[in-house]
Amino acid sequence: MRPSGRSVNEMRPISIETNVTKHAEGSCLIKVGDTHVLCTASLEARVPPFLKNTGLGWVTAEYGMLPRSTGSRMRREATTGKQGGRTVEIQRLIGRSLRAGVDRVALGERQITVDCDVIQADGGTRCASITGGWVALRLAVNQLMKAGDIISDPLVDPVAAVSCGIYAGQPVLDLDYPEDSEAGVDGNFVMTGTGKLIEVQMSAEGSTFTRDQMNALMDLADKGVGELVAAQNTAVGG
Amino acid sequence: MRPSGRSVNEMRPISIETNVTKHAEGSCLIKVGDTHVLCTASLEARVPPFLKNTGLGWVTAEYGMLPRSTGSRMRREATTGKQGGRTVEIQRLIGRSLRAGVDRVALGERQITVDCDVIQADGGTRCASITGGWVALRLAVNQLMKAGDIISDPLVDPVAAVSCGIYAGQPVLDLDYPEDSEAGVDGNFVMTGTGKLIEVQMSAEGSTFTRDQMNALMDLADKGVGELVAAQNTAVGG
Amino acid sequence: MRPSGRSVNEMRPISIETNVTKHAEGSCLIKVGDTHVLCTASLEARVPPFLKNTGLGWVTAEYGMLPRSTGSRMRREATTGKQGGRTVEIQRLIGRSLRAGVDRVALGERQITVDCDVIQADGGTRCASITGGWVALRLAVNQLMKAGDIISDPLVDPVAAVSCGIYAGQPVLDLDYPEDSEAGVDGNFVMTGTGKLIEVQMSAEGSTFTRDQMNALMDLADKGVGELVAAQNTAVGG
Amino acid sequence: MRPSGRSVNEMRPISIETNVTKHAEGSCLIKVGDTHVLCTASLEARVPPFLKNTGLGWVTAEYGMLPRSTGSRMRREATTGKQGGRTVEIQRLIGRSLRAGVDRVALGERQITVDCDVIQADGGTRCASITGGWVALRLAVNQLMKAGDIISDPLVDPVAAVSCGIYAGQPVLDLDYPEDSEAGVDGNFVMTGTGKLIEVQMSAEGSTFTRDQMNALMDLADKGVGELVAAQNTAVGG
Amino acid sequence: MRPSGRSVNEMRPISIETNVTKHAEGSCLIKVGDTHVLCTASLEARVPPFLKNTGLGWVTAEYGMLPRSTGSRMRREATTGKQGGRTVEIQRLIGRSLRAGVDRVALGERQITVDCDVIQADGGTRCASITGGWVALRLAVNQLMKAGDIISDPLVDPVAAVSCGIYAGQPVLDLDYPEDSEAGVDGNFVMTGTGKLIEVQMSAEGSTFTRDQMNALMDLADKGVGELVAAQNTAVGG
Amino acid sequence: MRPSGRSVNEMRPISIETNVTKHAEGSCLIKVGDTHVLCTASLEARVPPFLKNTGLGWVTAEYGMLPRSTGSRMRREATTGKQGGRTVEIQRLIGRSLRAGVDRVALGERQITVDCDVIQADGGTRCASITGGWVALRLAVNQLMKAGDIISDPLVDPVAAVSCGIYAGQPVLDLDYPEDSEAGVDGNFVMTGTGKLIEVQMSAEGSTFTRDQMNALMDLADKGVGELVAAQNTAVGG
């Protein structure tokens, strides 16, 4: 029934290649099916002004799509003069999601910026960005700990995300682009490795949904995030 | 326990004054406690390019805050050169939410723009904007129907929204600003008059939540939206 | 002869409601006929860089129109990426006009920003903004004096403004929108409560005028500003 | 008494050199004392959208200052990302002023853009721009008439402008920069060759003025504009 | 003598992997040492306005650097509101260079946009972009020819580029970042497969150079471009 | 053969008028044929942040064209919201070129900004800007030396520039606009008074060139720069 032939609760193949660029403190290339996102974590000594002298660290994120990551070429945001509304929404979500897994006291007064750049898009880029962004963050923090700059691990619980939706009347896990563009209802679920919720965003475009449907999607998300966290652990050798 | 002395499942006083400006096809001033939003609905003959010659209508929304709607003066977005990320996120949410209650075939190839301008802010401005925006939309559509421009009512189910959150460890309905700024978990719930879900956005800043907590918030939201829809009906004389 | 039936030297009804928002140090909603402007005065500790350590205060103004304050919806300036030329001209005029009534030594090194947001427009919005802006400023300064932060009153003479023009060949007072859009010559007159001039802007679009006509308009303005200052005094309980 | 040693009703030396650039349809370099402005008139076949198929022409103006036209270098507006408020105000004034002397029916459906670029500034740049802009416009229209593209002369009455102000307590004609920066009251007077008024802008920064003072300034302006129109006529060989 | 231990006329290892993204009509990942650039060619039916109905095609290029492609994180151009001067210069160079190898009549009225996004930077990113961009262009044109949309091959001569400079007093081929940041003189040489010159840009920052030095650099460039063209041919199976 | 009737190695008439504006520390109006550029040098006490406390000076340049410096009116860059790519390229070239002739230690920690504004364009505006910009710089530095602010002359070797190209199959010196718009190959050559090279930019739009052609153009440039440096020396009384 699904265009890809997957069963309703089946994730696309997940691959996470680490240390893919030589400059970043942490990096990975995450592939969830045909969605490929390059994630880098950059350590900076400075924190945003509102955190100066608080002893607290900060984790933030930026998101971008290469112009031809999509089926037809998109205009480059650098030439339009600003990031679009969708971009801003997504990068705020990534930042909030990652911070939910971080003990900012343990991190100390430093900032880590996670850049998520979509090389190839096939649905679920924001979820892949969160999942891959966590891996990049983990690797950068590992460096800090190895160097003795941080004593206690500030990463308290891994963070991963998956999208689910109602496709052809049926709840399905991990929407790809052909499904996403048809689904009347879809949601993004950000969760921790221990099954806690960080962010739930369910949305019906020109439609509505029931609490039963919502619960069915959350059950699927539970399963998917479990597999994603396992893949994260494997990637970082945990 | 709540700063306002309200019980946990108690809304703030709701007031909706209609037809508050002479130019707009529909308008209201909605007050949810000390949050005051002016909502206008403007009818335009044109639709966005992607809808030309489809026979489908469009409902969109814009959101703004007057510079001194808040405790300390905010910079005017017109002088910063762009709408901030929060503004863009909110106005996209308002537009999606209102469209979920609209039969765009019945509306026909015309656009209604709902402007929500916050006169005074005390928490929950996006929810008040959705609830008041629906009233402005209803009034504008009433004009179209009275004029015979539309035969069948395109507004299929009223749309309203409320925020809930975990404050001081307890799920509470309709967060005001003092609660909102303390709540570790909060959510916005957009629903229809018949209890269907349109959008659920739950978010934990630097924290997590469980499915039980989520369900408790949704129960509160159900109650709150019921009262908001009743207020909408009274306002439009329905 | 006038569309509204007013006599040539008759103002529209004036109403000034004070303290209309809970956050601003001073505020009013001024209505001059169907022109409604919300004016707030925001006190800030900082002054612009060029005034640091001079002991002098500053009063500045910003102006905006809600998108549907006008007969057909205007594009929101926050989405166009900048304030238009007309907006910039008007807010510079409001700021200059208000400052003319202020003793900046007595005010001391603090800034008051007056925001004038047009809720509904029917001609004369800049003049209503000046007149209402003065009331908001008066109320904010009253707070400062009550608190003992300022000893001697920095507001030396009330400031108000009115527009006049040649309509259908005849000088008329307080142009409303139908008159303003037809008048070949119009002017804005900013004056003090003791009849002194602050700013005179007379302009002929595609036309010219004589000194006799100019004097006739100034006589009308004298009368109008007198009535506006009386309304200001009543509003602030003076 | 005046820094320049001029008497109170004495203009600075006026010089208008015509046809100073080979590309423009009309051009001049106007010097009023040490204020030097290059004015060009560019003929374009198109009119703005609101004039299409009306048979009416349009005259518009743009204004700029070279970065080092002033005592200390100003930032180039092209690098700040927009024209400042002062620039916008001035170019709108120049455009309105020139149009007051033009019969737009006789001009026919074509646009003339007058660019006024300040090479060296010493006060009164907007007035010099109007006076010189008229000369450039006159020369461009002469070309059109010589070519037979226009039958009846659309330039009905020459337009010129001068500033006056209260300096050291005394009304003086044609403020230069040292006077302008000290004058508490100043005004710009745009008039026609036959003595009619087009625009009067009087402004008191942190001060006020009386009708008697206003009349004194207008008498001075009358005299100054007469001399400017004579210089225009000489320049265009009229 | 060179930091990398290379001899003066030795290129870094060159690798060109083709068809690296599924959406673009042509694509490659080019690696010249540690400089990695993702190049995609996007075919579009439209041409720029100035080419409409001329029968001529267009090839253009855009260039970007991922924020952490460099040693320390750069600000994302989409958030700064514009492409910087260096970016604009580079993408104009890439576009001009590629067009020099294209018969725009044979291409016909279609546009190919080559996007060059730097994944990892270590000097010479503009030259790698040209060399890799040509491969992406070649692959996209191959598709057009296979589909029969183009009869005669519009790509007349392969285009490649290399940088050379005076490092530690000695002319060296293919500057890497440590060399580039020290070289007082450097140049970019764009050439064709048959040894013709397309663009020569030699520049001395705070220094000068002689014609003899220039000739030495050109000899090195000749050698380097020969090796790059061989690698292009291998990559496209030519 | 050349449209102007010049022989292939003949410059256009060169004229350099100095001290043309009263405010700038150095200035000239350079005319190379019908290309007229106003160059001013502005001395500023501050240096860019990256040079603070280094003891080094800075020379930078900005470039602009008046809207009607060209055959048809160009849009003013201040109204388009940014400097175009061509402008940015040119002003970076001017700045680099001038710095090559400056001993920044001898200049000391001060900045000189050279503004080059094209009054009338007929090809070769960037070269005329460099040549005239050097004269403005020379005059500003002379002031500094006369005042004793600088002991040793920081201007080590005069800098001038000329364009050459292949026109109608033949290498020609100093392209004017009719030649420039037809030439398939053109180059800009920046050199010092002692014949050293600073910048060579040769470019073929939709074409290629050989090393022999390149050498022929460089020989022409040598001759042209010699004449330009002589004109500079005469202008500054050297």
Side-chain angles (χ1 to χ4, degrees):
Chain A
M1 182 214 64
R2 302 179 74 173
S4 60
R6 284 186 281 150
S7 58
V8 292
N9 69 349
E10 186 182 348
M11 290 289 296
R12 291 175 283 181
I14 305 162
S15 131
I16 304 177
E17 185 187 351
T18 56
N19 299 319
V20 293
T21 106
K22 76 170 187 176
H23 296 302
E25 283 73 23
S27 69
C28 76
L29 176 62
I30 184 168
K31 300 183 180 177
V32 179
D34 278 345
T35 289
H36 302 176
V37 185
L38 182 64
C39 304
T40 59
S42 296
L43 180 67
E44 290 166 290
R46 58 171 191 82
V47 285
F50 67 92
L51 288 179
K52 278 210 177 124
N53 304 319
T54 61
L56 295 171
W58 191 244
V59 172
T60 186
E62 294 195 7
Y63 170 92
M65 298 185 85
L66 293 193
R68 197 53 196 284
S69 58
T70 45
S72 57
R73 186 177 183 274
M74 299 187 315
R75 205 171 152 201
R76 195 176 282 269
E77 285 190 324
T79 69
T80 61
K82 60 171 182 173
Q83 297 183 305
R86 179 185 169 276
T87 296
V88 170
E89 251 185 66
I90 289 176
Q91 68 193 11
R92 284 159 58 97
L93 169 64
I94 301 171
R96 276 199 314 273
S97 297
L98 297 179
R99 281 194 297 277
V102 176
D103 176 345
R104 288 164 51 210
V105 175
L107 179 56
E109 209 165 311
R110 47 178 64 85
Q111 171 168 300
I112 299 178
T113 300
V114 175
D115 284 288
C116 301
D117 285 276
V118 179
I119 303 294
Q120 187 176 279
D122 189 39
T125 62
R126 80 189 69 189
C127 291
S129 296
I130 291 168
T131 306
W134 179 264
V135 169
L137 182 61
R138 172 77 271 173
L139 294 169
V141 169
N142 284 355
Q143 274 204 8
L144 278 172
M145 295 186 69
K146 216 168 292 169
D149 292 333
I150 287 181
I151 306 304
S152 129
D153 187 357
L155 302 191
V156 292
D157 202 357
V159 174
V162 75
S163 76
C164 303
I166 313 283
Y167 174 77
Q170 195 143 8
V172 298
L173 174 61
D174 187 25
L175 298 170
D176 55 27
Y177 181 74
E179 292 167 336
D180 190 37
S181 53
E182 293 297 323
V185 176
D186 65 52
N188 295 295
F189 301 85
V190 187
M191 302 173 66
T192 70
T194 56
K196 295 201 192 96
L197 295 162
I198 292 172
E199 185 113 6
V200 171
Q201 292 189 335
M202 298 203 54
S203 178
E205 178 68 38
S207 162
T208 60
F209 57 99
T210 64
R211 278 178 78 167
D212 282 350
Q213 287 177 312
M214 178 162 175
N215 282 321
L217 295 185
M218 293 200 67
D219 290 340
L220 288 172
D222 248 344
K223 173 176 183 294
V225 168
E227 297 175 26
L228 288 162
V229 170
Q232 288 175 327
N233 285 337
T234 303
V236 300
Chain B
M1 179 217 62
R2 304 179 72 173
S4 60
R6 283 186 282 151
S7 56
V8 291
N9 68 349
E10 185 182 349
M11 292 288 295
R12 291 175 284 180
I14 306 162
S15 129
I16 305 178
E17 184 186 352
T18 57
N19 299 319
V20 293
T21 105
K22 76 171 186 175
H23 297 303
E25 282 74 23
S27 69
C28 75
L29 176 62
I30 184 169
K31 298 184 180 176
V32 180
D34 277 345
T35 290
H36 303 177
V37 185
L38 182 65
C39 304
T40 59
S42 295
L43 179 67
E44 291 166 290
R46 60 175 188 78
V47 285
F50 68 93
L51 288 179
K52 278 211 176 124
N53 304 319
T54 61
L56 294 172
W58 190 243
V59 172
T60 186
E62 294 196 5
Y63 170 92
M65 298 185 85
L66 293 192
R68 195 53 196 283
S69 57
T70 44
S72 57
R73 187 178 181 272
M74 299 187 315
R75 206 172 151 202
R76 194 176 283 268
E77 286 190 324
T79 69
T80 63
K82 61 170 182 174
Q83 296 182 305
R86 178 186 169 277
T87 296
V88 170
E89 250 185 65
I90 290 176
Q91 67 193 13
R92 285 160 58 99
L93 169 64
I94 301 170
R96 276 200 313 273
S97 297
L98 296 179
R99 281 194 297 277
V102 176
D103 176 344
R104 287 165 51 212
V105 176
L107 179 57
E109 209 165 310
R110 47 178 65 83
Q111 170 168 299
I112 298 178
T113 301
V114 175
D115 285 287
C116 301
D117 285 276
V118 179
I119 302 294
Q120 187 175 280
D122 188 39
T125 62
R126 79 189 70 190
C127 291
S129 295
I130 291 168
T131 306
W134 179 264
V135 169
L137 182 60
R138 174 74 271 174
L139 295 170
V141 168
N142 285 355
Q143 274 204 8
L144 278 172
M145 295 187 70
K146 217 168 292 171
D149 293 333
I150 287 181
I151 306 304
S152 127
D153 188 359
L155 302 191
V156 292
D157 202 356
V159 174
V162 75
S163 76
C164 303
I166 312 284
Y167 175 77
Q170 192 142 7
V172 298
L173 174 62
D174 187 26
L175 298 170
D176 55 28
Y177 180 74
E179 291 168 337
D180 190 36
S181 53
E182 293 296 323
V185 176
D186 66 53
N188 296 295
F189 300 86
V190 188
M191 302 172 67
T192 69
T194 58
K196 297 204 190 93
L197 295 162
I198 291 172
E199 185 113 7
V200 171
Q201 292 189 337
M202 298 203 54
S203 178
E205 179 66 40
S207 161
T208 59
F209 57 99
T210 64
R211 277 177 79 168
D212 281 351
Q213 288 177 311
M214 177 162 174
N215 282 322
L217 296 185
M218 293 200 67
D219 290 340
L220 290 172
D222 247 344
K223 174 175 183 294
V225 168
E227 298 175 25
L228 289 162
V229 170
Q232 289 176 324
N233 285 337
T234 304
V236 300
Chain C
M1 181 215 63
R2 302 180 73 173
S4 59
R6 284 186 282 151
S7 58
V8 293
N9 68 350
E10 185 181 349
M11 291 287 297
R12 291 175 283 180
I14 306 162
S15 129
I16 304 177
E17 185 187 352
T18 56
N19 299 318
V20 292
T21 106
K22 75 170 186 175
H23 297 302
E25 283 73 24
S27 69
C28 75
L29 175 63
I30 184 169
K31 300 184 179 176
V32 179
D34 278 344
T35 290
H36 302 176
V37 185
L38 181 65
C39 304
T40 60
S42 295
L43 179 67
E44 290 166 290
R46 60 172 189 80
V47 285
F50 68 93
L51 288 179
K52 279 213 176 122
N53 304 318
T54 61
L56 294 172
W58 191 243
V59 171
T60 186
E62 294 196 5
Y63 170 92
M65 297 184 86
L66 293 193
R68 194 56 195 282
S69 58
T70 44
S72 56
R73 186 178 182 273
M74 300 187 313
R75 205 171 152 202
R76 194 176 282 269
E77 286 190 324
T79 70
T80 62
K82 61 171 181 172
Q83 296 183 305
R86 179 184 168 276
T87 296
V88 170
E89 251 185 65
I90 290 176
Q91 68 193 13
R92 284 160 59 98
L93 169 64
I94 300 171
R96 276 200 314 273
S97 297
L98 297 180
R99 281 194 297 278
V102 175
D103 176 344
R104 287 165 52 210
V105 176
L107 178 57
E109 208 165 311
R110 47 177 64 84
Q111 171 168 298
I112 298 178
T113 301
V114 175
D115 285 287
C116 302
D117 285 276
V118 179
I119 303 293
Q120 187 175 279
D122 189 40
T125 62
R126 80 189 69 189
C127 291
S129 296
I130 291 168
T131 306
W134 178 265
V135 170
L137 182 61
R138 174 74 272 173
L139 295 170
V141 168
N142 285 354
Q143 274 204 7
L144 278 172
M145 295 187 69
K146 217 168 291 170
D149 293 332
I150 288 181
I151 306 304
S152 127
D153 187 358
L155 302 191
V156 293
D157 203 356
V159 174
V162 75
S163 75
C164 303
I166 312 284
Y167 175 77
Q170 193 141 8
V172 298
L173 174 63
D174 187 26
L175 298 170
D176 55 29
Y177 180 74
E179 291 167 336
D180 190 36
S181 52
E182 293 297 322
V185 176
D186 65 52
N188 295 295
F189 301 85
V190 187
M191 301 173 67
T192 70
T194 57
K196 296 201 191 95
L197 294 162
I198 292 172
E199 186 113 7
V200 171
Q201 293 189 336
M202 298 203 54
S203 179
E205 178 68 40
S207 161
T208 59
F209 57 98
T210 65
R211 277 178 77 167
D212 282 352
Q213 288 177 312
M214 177 161 175
N215 282 321
L217 295 185
M218 294 200 67
D219 291 339
L220 289 172
D222 247 345
K223 173 175 184 294
V225 168
E227 297 175 24
L228 289 162
V229 170
Q232 288 176 325
N233 285 336
T234 303
V236 300
Chain D
M1 180 214 67
R2 302 179 73 174
S4 59
R6 283 185 282 151
S7 58
V8 292
N9 68 349
E10 186 181 348
M11 290 288 297
R12 291 175 283 181
I14 306 163
S15 131
I16 305 177
E17 184 187 353
T18 56
N19 299 319
V20 292
T21 105
K22 75 170 187 175
H23 297 302
E25 282 74 23
S27 69
C28 75
L29 176 62
I30 184 169
K31 300 184 180 176
V32 179
D34 279 344
T35 289
H36 302 177
V37 185
L38 181 65
C39 304
T40 60
S42 295
L43 180 67
E44 291 165 290
R46 59 173 190 80
V47 284
F50 68 92
L51 288 178
K52 278 211 176 124
N53 304 319
T54 61
L56 294 171
W58 191 242
V59 171
T60 185
E62 294 196 6
Y63 171 92
M65 299 184 84
L66 293 193
R68 196 54 196 283
S69 58
T70 45
S72 57
R73 187 178 181 273
M74 298 187 316
R75 205 171 153 202
R76 194 176 283 268
E77 285 190 326
T79 69
T80 62
K82 59 171 183 174
Q83 295 183 305
R86 179 185 169 277
T87 296
V88 170
E89 250 185 68
I90 290 176
Q91 68 193 12
R92 285 159 59 98
L93 168 64
I94 300 170
R96 274 200 314 273
S97 298
L98 296 179
R99 279 194 297 278
V102 176
D103 176 345
R104 289 165 50 212
V105 175
L107 178 57
E109 209 165 312
R110 47 178 64 84
Q111 170 167 299
I112 298 178
T113 300
V114 175
D115 284 288
C116 301
D117 284 277
V118 178
I119 303 294
Q120 187 175 279
D122 188 39
T125 63
R126 79 189 70 190
C127 290
S129 295
I130 291 167
T131 306
W134 179 264
V135 170
L137 182 61
R138 173 77 271 172
L139 295 169
V141 168
N142 285 354
Q143 275 205 7
L144 278 172
M145 295 188 70
K146 216 169 293 170
D149 293 333
I150 287 181
I151 305 304
S152 131
D153 187 357
L155 302 190
V156 292
D157 202 356
V159 174
V162 74
S163 76
C164 303
I166 312 283
Y167 174 78
Q170 194 141 9
V172 297
L173 174 62
D174 187 26
L175 298 170
D176 55 28
Y177 180 75
E179 291 167 337
D180 190 37
S181 53
E182 293 297 323
V185 176
D186 66 51
N188 294 295
F189 301 85
V190 188
M191 301 172 67
T192 70
T194 57
K196 296 203 190 94
L197 296 161
I198 292 173
E199 185 114 7
V200 171
Q201 292 189 336
M202 299 202 54
S203 178
E205 179 68 40
S207 162
T208 60
F209 57 99
T210 64
R211 278 178 77 167
D212 282 351
Q213 287 177 312
M214 179 162 174
N215 282 322
L217 296 185
M218 293 200 67
D219 290 340
L220 289 172
D222 248 343
K223 173 176 184 294
V225 168
E227 297 175 25
L228 289 162
V229 170
Q232 288 176 326
N233 285 337
T234 303
V236 300
Chain E
M1 181 217 65
R2 302 180 73 174
S4 59
R6 283 186 282 153
S7 59
V8 293
N9 68 350
E10 185 182 348
M11 291 288 297
R12 291 174 284 180
I14 306 163
S15 131
I16 305 178
E17 184 186 352
T18 56
N19 299 319
V20 293
T21 105
K22 74 170 187 176
H23 297 302
E25 282 74 25
S27 69
C28 75
L29 176 62
I30 184 168
K31 299 185 180 177
V32 179
D34 278 344
T35 289
H36 302 178
V37 185
L38 181 65
C39 304
T40 60
S42 296
L43 179 68
E44 291 165 290
R46 58 174 190 79
V47 285
F50 68 92
L51 288 179
K52 280 213 175 122
N53 304 319
T54 61
L56 294 170
W58 191 243
V59 172
T60 186
E62 294 195 6
Y63 170 92
M65 299 185 84
L66 294 193
R68 195 54 197 282
S69 58
T70 44
S72 57
R73 186 178 182 273
M74 299 187 315
R75 206 171 151 200
R76 194 176 283 268
E77 285 189 326
T79 70
T80 62
K82 60 170 182 175
Q83 296 183 305
R86 179 185 168 277
T87 295
V88 170
E89 249 185 67
I90 289 176
Q91 67 192 13
R92 284 160 59 97
L93 169 64
I94 300 170
R96 276 199 314 272
S97 298
L98 297 179
R99 281 193 297 277
V102 175
D103 176 344
R104 286 166 51 211
V105 175
L107 178 57
E109 208 165 312
R110 47 177 65 82
Q111 171 167 298
I112 298 178
T113 301
V114 175
D115 285 288
C116 301
D117 284 277
V118 179
I119 303 293
Q120 188 175 278
D122 189 39
T125 62
R126 79 189 71 189
C127 291
S129 295
I130 291 167
T131 306
W134 179 264
V135 170
L137 182 60
R138 175 74 272 171
L139 295 170
V141 168
N142 285 355
Q143 274 204 8
L144 278 171
M145 296 187 70
K146 216 167 295 171
D149 293 333
I150 288 181
I151 306 303
S152 129
D153 188 357
L155 301 191
V156 292
D157 203 357
V159 173
V162 74
S163 76
C164 302
I166 312 283
Y167 175 77
Q170 194 141 7
V172 299
L173 174 62
D174 187 26
L175 299 170
D176 55 28
Y177 180 76
E179 291 168 336
D180 190 36
S181 54
E182 293 298 322
V185 176
D186 66 52
N188 295 295
F189 301 85
V190 188
M191 301 173 69
T192 70
T194 57
K196 297 203 191 94
L197 295 161
I198 292 172
E199 185 112 7
V200 171
Q201 292 189 336
M202 299 202 53
S203 178
E205 178 67 39
S207 163
T208 60
F209 57 99
T210 65
R211 278 179 77 166
D212 282 352
Q213 288 177 311
M214 178 163 175
N215 283 320
L217 295 185
M218 293 201 65
D219 290 340
L220 289 172
D222 248 343
K223 174 176 182 296
V225 168
E227 298 175 24
L228 288 162
V229 170
Q232 288 176 325
N233 285 336
T234 304
V236 301
Chain F
M1 183 216 64
R2 303 180 72 174
S4 60
R6 283 185 282 151
S7 58
V8 293
N9 68 350
E10 186 182 348
M11 290 288 297
R12 290 174 284 180
I14 305 162
S15 132
I16 304 177
E17 183 187 353
T18 57
N19 299 319
V20 292
T21 105
K22 75 170 187 177
H23 298 302
E25 281 75 23
S27 69
C28 75
L29 176 62
I30 183 169
K31 300 184 181 178
V32 180
D34 279 345
T35 290
H36 302 177
V37 185
L38 181 65
C39 304
T40 60
S42 295
L43 180 67
E44 291 165 290
R46 59 174 189 79
V47 284
F50 68 92
L51 288 178
K52 280 215 175 118
N53 304 318
T54 61
L56 294 171
W58 190 243
V59 172
T60 186
E62 294 195 6
Y63 171 92
M65 298 184 86
L66 294 193
R68 195 56 196 283
S69 58
T70 46
S72 57
R73 186 178 182 273
M74 299 187 314
R75 204 170 154 202
R76 194 176 281 269
E77 285 190 324
T79 69
T80 62
K82 60 171 181 173
Q83 295 183 306
R86 178 185 170 277
T87 295
V88 170
E89 250 185 67
I90 290 176
Q91 68 193 12
R92 284 160 59 97
L93 170 64
I94 300 170
R96 276 199 313 275
S97 298
L98 296 179
R99 281 193 297 277
V102 175
D103 176 345
R104 288 165 51 210
V105 175
L107 179 57
E109 208 164 310
R110 46 178 65 84
Q111 171 168 298
I112 299 178
T113 300
V114 175
D115 285 288
C116 301
D117 285 276
V118 179
I119 303 294
Q120 188 175 279
D122 189 39
T125 62
R126 79 189 70 188
C127 291
S129 295
I130 291 168
T131 306
W134 179 264
V135 170
L137 181 61
R138 174 76 270 171
L139 295 170
V141 169
N142 285 355
Q143 274 204 7
L144 279 172
M145 296 186 70
K146 216 168 293 169
D149 293 332
I150 288 181
I151 306 304
S152 128
D153 188 357
L155 301 191
V156 292
D157 202 356
V159 174
V162 75
S163 76
C164 302
I166 314 283
Y167 174 77
Q170 193 141 9
V172 298
L173 174 63
D174 187 26
L175 299 170
D176 55 27
Y177 180 75
E179 292 167 336
D180 190 36
S181 53
E182 294 297 321
V185 176
D186 65 51
N188 295 296
F189 301 85
V190 188
M191 302 173 68
T192 70
T194 57
K196 298 203 189 93
L197 295 162
I198 292 173
E199 185 114 6
V200 172
Q201 293 188 336
M202 298 203 53
S203 177
E205 177 68 39
S207 163
T208 60
F209 58 98
T210 65
R211 278 178 76 166
D212 282 351
Q213 289 178 310
M214 178 163 174
N215 283 321
L217 295 185
M218 293 200 66
D219 290 340
L220 289 172
D222 247 344
K223 174 177 183 292
V225 168
E227 298 174 26
L228 288 161
V229 170
Q232 288 176 326
N233 285 337
T234 305
V236 301

